[in-house]
Amino acid sequence: YQRRVRGGDVYSGMADTSAIKRAQALLRRDPLNPHRKLTSYMPSQIKQSVVRKTQRSVSEIAGMIESLKIEYTKLKGEIAADDDGIFEFHGARGLLERKIEECEDRLKKNRAKIKMFGESIGPLEQQYENLQKDSKVRFEDARKFYDIAIKMLVEKFDYNPAFKRPGDQI
């Protein structure tokens, strides 16, 4: 039994059995590995001990995968923390570099001022040293004169320096 459909194609009333068989075969295939069939059937040739070993290996591998996932997550966190630390380090380093530049600029300015003051203070320093020498000479002369004056007071006025009162001028 055939009938015509729009466009002039022939449509058979009976379904094409080979197309159905191919569709059923596709449903039985593993989508990730199309060359394998999906089945829960386990051949009897595989021994139970091999099945147990395989299951044990699978669970060990699954445990290793889980521990690696946990370690991977922890390492990602540590890497993120390290990235934050590097960012902070670069910020602090930039501040320190700017402070170093400022200190070097101030040091240059201060050295220039020191040089300028050294050139202008040099003659004044010499004058100060001469004044100190002169004041020492004058002090020694005054002391000698004071000793002479005390001797004269003792000789002429019978002055005794041991009996000097706190309010006395000489």
Side-chain angles (χ1 to χ4, degrees):
Y1 152 72
Q2 294 180 350
R3 81 177 167 168
R4 292 215 176 254
V5 188
R6 254 190 284 178
D9 290 335
V10 176
Y11 173 73
S12 149
M14 289 214 282
D16 191 6
T17 57
S18 64
I20 292 174
K21 285 183 182 179
R22 276 186 272 139
Q24 286 175 342
L26 277 175
L27 286 174
R28 287 192 305 264
R29 301 265 179 215
D30 185 357
L32 298 176
N33 301 309
H35 63 283
R36 293 186 182 164
K37 290 183 179 177
L38 283 174
T39 180
S40 60
Y41 173 71
M42 194 76 138
S44 61
Q45 295 172 350
I46 300 175
K47 294 183 180 176
Q48 197 64 24
S49 62
V50 173
V51 170
R52 280 191 222 114
K53 278 185 183 178
T54 306
Q55 287 174 344
R56 200 172 317 128
S57 298
V58 167
S59 57
E60 286 175 0
I61 291 170
M64 283 191 269
I65 289 172
E66 285 301 316
S67 66
L68 288 173
K69 281 182 183 178
I70 291 169
E71 189 174 345
Y72 174 73
T73 305
K74 188 184 344 177
L75 287 175
K76 277 179 71 176
E78 289 176 5
I79 288 171
D82 288 345
D83 288 341
D84 291 342
I86 288 171
F87 180 75
E88 289 178 19
F89 169 76
H90 286 301
R93 181 179 174 193
L95 286 174
L96 290 175
E97 287 174 351
R98 277 182 261 151
K99 281 186 179 180
I100 288 171
E101 289 174 6
E102 289 173 4
C103 288
E104 287 174 349
D105 290 342
R106 283 192 324 193
L107 187 62
K108 286 179 185 176
K109 289 177 185 176
N110 289 343
R111 284 185 177 157
K113 283 182 185 177
I114 289 171
K115 185 177 179 184
M116 182 187 71
F117 282 120
E119 291 170 354
S120 21
I121 291 179
L124 293 176
E125 189 174 9
Q126 186 63 37
Q127 281 180 343
Y128 177 71
E129 288 174 3
N130 289 338
L131 284 174
Q132 278 185 327
K133 287 177 186 175
D134 186 47
S135 63
K136 282 182 182 179
V137 169
R138 288 180 186 247
F139 179 75
E140 291 299 322
D141 288 345
R143 178 185 263 168
K144 286 178 189 174
F145 180 76
Y146 178 78
D147 288 340
I148 292 171
I150 293 291
K151 282 182 188 176
M152 185 178 72
L153 284 173
V154 169
E155 289 173 4
K156 291 196 177 192
F157 298 107
D158 248 355
Y159 174 73
N160 189 352
F163 294 111
K164 180 180 172 191
R165 294 180 297 214
D168 288 346
Q169 295 278 333
I170 297 178

